[in-house]
PDB file of all heavy atoms in Angstrom:
ATOM      1  N   SER A 683      48.711  28.316 -12.570  1.00 79.00           N
ATOM      2  CA  SER A 683      49.790  29.294 -12.456  1.00 79.00           C
ATOM      3  C   SER A 683      51.121  28.735 -12.960  1.00 79.00           C
ATOM      4  O   SER A 683      51.991  29.480 -13.400  1.00 79.00           O
ATOM      5  CB  SER A 683      49.931  29.749 -10.996  1.00 79.00           C
ATOM      6  OG  SER A 683      50.443  28.723 -10.188  1.00 79.00           O
ATOM      7  N   TYR A 684      51.262  27.397 -12.895  1.00 79.00           N
ATOM      8  CA  TYR A 684      52.488  26.755 -13.377  1.00 79.00           C
ATOM      9  C   TYR A 684      52.430  26.466 -14.875  1.00 79.00           C
ATOM     10  O   TYR A 684      53.464  26.317 -15.526  1.00 79.00           O
ATOM     11  CB  TYR A 684      52.726  25.439 -12.624  1.00 79.00           C
ATOM     12  CG  TYR A 684      53.209  25.627 -11.204  1.00 79.00           C
ATOM     13  CD1 TYR A 684      52.387  25.319 -10.125  1.00 79.00           C
ATOM     14  CD2 TYR A 684      54.487  26.112 -10.925  1.00 79.00           C
ATOM     15  CE1 TYR A 684      52.810  25.488  -8.811  1.00 79.00           C
ATOM     16  CE2 TYR A 684      54.929  26.289  -9.636  1.00 79.00           C
ATOM     17  CZ  TYR A 684      54.099  25.966  -8.578  1.00 79.00           C
ATOM     18  OH  TYR A 684      54.526  26.149  -7.295  1.00 79.00           O
ATOM     19  N   PHE A 685      51.213  26.374 -15.397  1.00 80.00           N
ATOM     20  CA  PHE A 685      51.039  26.086 -16.835  1.00 80.00           C
ATOM     21  C   PHE A 685      50.165  27.175 -17.455  1.00 80.00           C
ATOM     22  O   PHE A 685      48.943  27.028 -17.546  1.00 80.00           O
ATOM     23  CB  PHE A 685      50.380  24.710 -17.022  1.00 80.00           C
ATOM     24  CG  PHE A 685      51.162  23.588 -16.406  1.00 80.00           C
ATOM     25  CD1 PHE A 685      50.822  23.097 -15.148  1.00 80.00           C
ATOM     26  CD2 PHE A 685      52.237  23.025 -17.069  1.00 80.00           C
ATOM     27  CE1 PHE A 685      51.541  22.068 -14.571  1.00 80.00           C
ATOM     28  CE2 PHE A 685      52.957  21.981 -16.501  1.00 80.00           C
ATOM     29  CZ  PHE A 685      52.615  21.494 -15.241  1.00 80.00           C
ATOM     30  N   PRO A 686      50.771  28.288 -17.868  1.00 75.00           N
ATOM     31  CA  PRO A 686      50.015  29.454 -18.360  1.00 75.00           C
ATOM     32  C   PRO A 686      49.089  29.155 -19.526  1.00 75.00           C
ATOM     33  O   PRO A 686      48.117  29.850 -19.754  1.00 75.00           O
ATOM     34  CB  PRO A 686      51.133  30.425 -18.792  1.00 75.00           C
ATOM     35  CG  PRO A 686      52.333  30.014 -17.991  1.00 75.00           C
ATOM     36  CD  PRO A 686      52.226  28.523 -17.855  1.00 75.00           C
ATOM     37  N   GLY A 687      49.365  28.104 -20.288  1.00 77.00           N
ATOM     38  CA  GLY A 687      48.519  27.781 -21.428  1.00 77.00           C
ATOM     39  C   GLY A 687      47.197  27.158 -21.039  1.00 77.00           C
ATOM     40  O   GLY A 687      46.313  26.990 -21.884  1.00 77.00           O
ATOM     41  N   MET A 688      47.040  26.820 -19.772  1.00 83.00           N
ATOM     42  CA  MET A 688      45.813  26.174 -19.305  1.00 83.00           C
ATOM     43  C   MET A 688      45.052  27.121 -18.374  1.00 83.00           C
ATOM     44  O   MET A 688      45.661  27.829 -17.588  1.00 83.00           O
ATOM     45  CB  MET A 688      46.146  24.872 -18.568  1.00 83.00           C
ATOM     46  CG  MET A 688      46.940  23.878 -19.390  1.00 83.00           C
ATOM     47  SD  MET A 688      47.277  22.352 -18.478  1.00 83.00           S
ATOM     48  CE  MET A 688      45.636  21.630 -18.426  1.00 83.00           C
ATOM     49  N   ASN A 689      43.723  27.141 -18.497  1.00 89.00           N
ATOM     50  CA  ASN A 689      42.947  27.961 -17.577  1.00 89.00           C
ATOM     51  C   ASN A 689      42.426  27.110 -16.426  1.00 89.00           C
ATOM     52  O   ASN A 689      42.505  25.878 -16.450  1.00 89.00           O
ATOM     53  CB  ASN A 689      41.799  28.682 -18.305  1.00 89.00           C
ATOM     54  CG  ASN A 689      40.850  27.726 -18.992  1.00 89.00           C
ATOM     55  OD1 ASN A 689      40.586  26.626 -18.530  1.00 89.00           O
ATOM     56  ND2 ASN A 689      40.325  28.146 -20.131  1.00 89.00           N
ATOM     57  N   VAL A 690      41.884  27.766 -15.419  1.00 91.00           N
ATOM     58  CA  VAL A 690      41.453  27.071 -14.206  1.00 91.00           C
ATOM     59  C   VAL A 690      40.328  26.088 -14.500  1.00 91.00           C
ATOM     60  O   VAL A 690      40.312  24.970 -13.993  1.00 91.00           O
ATOM     61  CB  VAL A 690      41.006  28.097 -13.132  1.00 91.00           C
ATOM     62  CG1 VAL A 690      40.402  27.380 -11.928  1.00 91.00           C
ATOM     63  CG2 VAL A 690      42.188  28.953 -12.699  1.00 91.00           C
ATOM     64  N   GLY A 691      39.369  26.495 -15.330  1.00 91.00           N
ATOM     65  CA  GLY A 691      38.253  25.613 -15.657  1.00 91.00           C
ATOM     66  C   GLY A 691      38.699  24.335 -16.339  1.00 91.00           C
ATOM     67  O   GLY A 691      38.181  23.251 -16.062  1.00 91.00           O
ATOM     68  N   MET A 692      39.694  24.452 -17.232  1.00 91.00           N
ATOM     69  CA  MET A 692      40.212  23.290 -17.945  1.00 91.00           C
ATOM     70  C   MET A 692      40.864  22.308 -16.977  1.00 91.00           C
ATOM     71  O   MET A 692      40.622  21.097 -17.027  1.00 91.00           O
ATOM     72  CB  MET A 692      41.230  23.768 -19.000  1.00 91.00           C
ATOM     73  CG  MET A 692      41.774  22.676 -19.907  1.00 91.00           C
ATOM     74  SD  MET A 692      43.137  23.309 -20.946  1.00 91.00           S
ATOM     75  CE  MET A 692      42.343  24.680 -21.759  1.00 91.00           C
ATOM     76  N   VAL A 693      41.708  22.844 -16.091  1.00 91.00           N
ATOM     77  CA  VAL A 693      42.393  21.992 -15.115  1.00 91.00           C
ATOM     78  C   VAL A 693      41.386  21.351 -14.169  1.00 91.00           C
ATOM     79  O   VAL A 693      41.467  20.159 -13.855  1.00 91.00           O
ATOM     80  CB  VAL A 693      43.420  22.817 -14.308  1.00 91.00           C
ATOM     81  CG1 VAL A 693      44.084  21.943 -13.237  1.00 91.00           C
ATOM     82  CG2 VAL A 693      44.472  23.410 -15.244  1.00 91.00           C
ATOM     83  N   MET A 694      40.415  22.151 -13.723  1.00 92.00           N
ATOM     84  CA  MET A 694      39.413  21.665 -12.781  1.00 92.00           C
ATOM     85  C   MET A 694      38.563  20.552 -13.390  1.00 92.00           C
ATOM     86  O   MET A 694      38.224  19.577 -12.720  1.00 92.00           O
ATOM     87  CB  MET A 694      38.543  22.829 -12.327  1.00 92.00           C
ATOM     88  CG  MET A 694      37.680  22.538 -11.125  1.00 92.00           C
ATOM     89  SD  MET A 694      36.932  24.074 -10.524  1.00 92.00           S
ATOM     90  CE  MET A 694      35.831  23.423  -9.269  1.00 92.00           C
ATOM     91  N   LEU A 695      38.226  20.696 -14.673  1.00 92.00           N
ATOM     92  CA  LEU A 695      37.436  19.671 -15.343  1.00 92.00           C
ATOM     93  C   LEU A 695      38.209  18.356 -15.417  1.00 92.00           C
ATOM     94  O   LEU A 695      37.631  17.272 -15.198  1.00 92.00           O
ATOM     95  CB  LEU A 695      37.065  20.141 -16.755  1.00 92.00           C
ATOM     96  CG  LEU A 695      36.134  19.228 -17.558  1.00 92.00           C
ATOM     97  CD1 LEU A 695      34.798  19.066 -16.840  1.00 92.00           C
ATOM     98  CD2 LEU A 695      35.904  19.792 -18.956  1.00 92.00           C
ATOM     99  N   ALA A 696      39.503  18.451 -15.703  1.00 91.00           N
ATOM    100  CA  ALA A 696      40.332  17.243 -15.783  1.00 91.00           C
ATOM    101  C   ALA A 696      40.435  16.564 -14.413  1.00 91.00           C
ATOM    102  O   ALA A 696      40.310  15.335 -14.297  1.00 91.00           O
ATOM    103  CB  ALA A 696      41.726  17.598 -16.297  1.00 91.00           C
ATOM    104  N   ILE A 697      40.644  17.358 -13.360  1.00 89.00           N
ATOM    105  CA  ILE A 697      40.752  16.802 -12.015  1.00 89.00           C
ATOM    106  C   ILE A 697      39.434  16.148 -11.600  1.00 89.00           C
ATOM    107  O   ILE A 697      39.411  15.025 -11.067  1.00 89.00           O
ATOM    108  CB  ILE A 697      41.142  17.892 -10.997  1.00 89.00           C
ATOM    109  CG1 ILE A 697      42.550  18.391 -11.281  1.00 89.00           C
ATOM    110  CG2 ILE A 697      41.046  17.360  -9.568  1.00 89.00           C
ATOM    111  CD1 ILE A 697      42.956  19.584 -10.425  1.00 89.00           C
ATOM    112  N   ASN A 698      38.325  16.841 -11.842  1.00 89.00           N
ATOM    113  CA  ASN A 698      37.023  16.304 -11.450  1.00 89.00           C
ATOM    114  C   ASN A 698      36.676  15.042 -12.232  1.00 89.00           C
ATOM    115  O   ASN A 698      36.022  14.136 -11.696  1.00 89.00           O
ATOM    116  CB  ASN A 698      35.936  17.362 -11.650  1.00 89.00           C
ATOM    117  CG  ASN A 698      35.908  18.383 -10.530  1.00 89.00           C
ATOM    118  OD1 ASN A 698      36.297  18.087  -9.402  1.00 89.00           O
ATOM    119  ND2 ASN A 698      35.474  19.583 -10.826  1.00 89.00           N
ATOM    120  N   ALA A 699      37.097  14.967 -13.490  1.00 90.00           N
ATOM    121  CA  ALA A 699      36.849  13.752 -14.283  1.00 90.00           C
ATOM    122  C   ALA A 699      37.548  12.545 -13.654  1.00 90.00           C
ATOM    123  O   ALA A 699      36.963  11.455 -13.543  1.00 90.00           O
ATOM    124  CB  ALA A 699      37.328  13.960 -15.717  1.00 90.00           C
ATOM    125  N   VAL A 700      38.785  12.760 -13.208  1.00 89.00           N
ATOM    126  CA  VAL A 700      39.522  11.676 -12.546  1.00 89.00           C
ATOM    127  C   VAL A 700      38.836  11.299 -11.231  1.00 89.00           C
ATOM    128  O   VAL A 700      38.677  10.107 -10.914  1.00 89.00           O
ATOM    129  CB  VAL A 700      40.982  12.106 -12.277  1.00 89.00           C
ATOM    130  CG1 VAL A 700      41.701  11.063 -11.430  1.00 89.00           C
ATOM    131  CG2 VAL A 700      41.718  12.321 -13.592  1.00 89.00           C
ATOM    132  N   LEU A 701      38.398  12.305 -10.462  1.00 86.00           N
ATOM    133  CA  LEU A 701      37.745  12.035  -9.179  1.00 86.00           C
ATOM    134  C   LEU A 701      36.420  11.287  -9.369  1.00 86.00           C
ATOM    135  O   LEU A 701      36.075  10.413  -8.564  1.00 86.00           O
ATOM    136  CB  LEU A 701      37.509  13.350  -8.428  1.00 86.00           C
ATOM    137  CG  LEU A 701      38.753  14.069  -7.912  1.00 86.00           C
ATOM    138  CD1 LEU A 701      38.358  15.380  -7.226  1.00 86.00           C
ATOM    139  CD2 LEU A 701      39.526  13.184  -6.949  1.00 86.00           C
TER     140      LEU A 701
END
Side-chain angles (χ1 to χ4, degrees):
S683 70
Y684 286 110
F685 301 98
M688 303 181 70
N689 59 34
V690 173
M692 185 188 304
V693 177
M694 193 170 173
L695 185 61
I697 294 173
N698 281 332
V700 173
L701 291 178

